[in-house]
Amino acid sequence: MQKAEEFVYPKPPDEPRFYWDRMLLGSMSVEHQTEESKISAFLSGTFASNKGFVKPYGIAVHQGRIFVSDPPGRDVMMFDPAHYLFKSLTSDPNVLLVKPFGLETDAQGNLFVLDQTLKDVKLFDRDGNYLRTIKPDAQLSMPTDLAITPDGKTMYISQTGGVSESMHVIFQFDTETGKLLKTLGKRGRGDLEFNLPKGIDLDKNGLLYVVDSGNFRIQVIDPDKEVMVRTFGQVGQRLGTFSRPKDVAVDKDGNIYVSDAAFGNFQIFNPEGQLLLFVGERGSDLKPGTYMLNSGIAVDEDGRVLMADQFFRKVDIFRPARVGKEQGFLGVKEKITDEEYMKIKQEQQNGQ
């Protein structure tokens, strides 16, 4: 396998724009094994178990805390690499998740989890503690993703629907009551019309970005005025087109990231929809930047990009070249001693 620093995008001689940072495969990806635990495992013949993914789908991230939905695993997992913290949200016996899909956080880090089977949204705090369940006041049919306003008061849900169904729309709800505020769009190919809408995201100005998967395009919508602002994309096999677009994320500069499962990559577009770069490739080996069935994508506050792959059961994290390896919320820290690790865990226990 190549050295980690060699996974750079684009490849030389072009100037580096992104580096592959790390890979999450399960709980052991963020846990620290002390010398004492290593000796105990050796003497007893038992080793720390890894809780891995079955088929990870959605991703949300807030200030270094990563949440990943696993629909067939009926779980959402929380990772905090900087604090060596892992948590399964269904470790709480009061939490029932059947098919968790879309995830999103608000500005405070509260997590909203859309369940495609139960057709509800469960709300957790930033530490993964269950708060309440939101019952959307609408007939949901195959809801896939959600987007949340920074204040956590308004929620959008993409209604993917079925091939033979007509309700391919985006719903807007009040998160406190679950009341339906408005329905955006209808099925079709025109402006503010959708065919199998999937991933959605909001930018800092409140514009809504929709993966209009059956029309092979991204629609940018002003939900207040209920108009389409712009659209880009078409079906194809070349760069800048789409084949199996799954999810979309927007960074603080308005750049747009689209995960496409047929290409095994994510493409980056500027706010006007012009292609800037693609990252990743399709392949049959588990290694950085290689995908067979990539799905959810998210961008954190520092510009790191996280993308899940259902086939390889992983989440890859990429770092923009302008951000140092140790910088930002997901910066890779120097290896700590056992004493430092025990101090971190003690502080976590005291804070609970």
Side-chain angles (χ1 to χ4, degrees), residues 53 55-59 67-71 75-77 100-103:
F53 302 115
K55 288 182 71 174
Y57 189 88
I59 301 177
F67 301 93
V68 182
S69 69
D70 192 356
D75 201 1
V76 173
M77 301 182 196
F101 255 73
L103 305 178

Side-chain angles (χ1 to χ4, degrees), residues 62-67 78 80 83 105 108-111 124-129 131 329:
H62 180 267
Q63 297 182 3
R65 193 151 289 184
I66 304 164
F67 301 93
M78 183 186 81
D80 192 328
H83 299 94
T105 58
Q108 290 72 45
N110 297 311
L111 176 71
F124 299 81
D125 67 18
R126 189 176 183 274
D127 294 322
N129 300 312
L131 299 176
F329 290 108

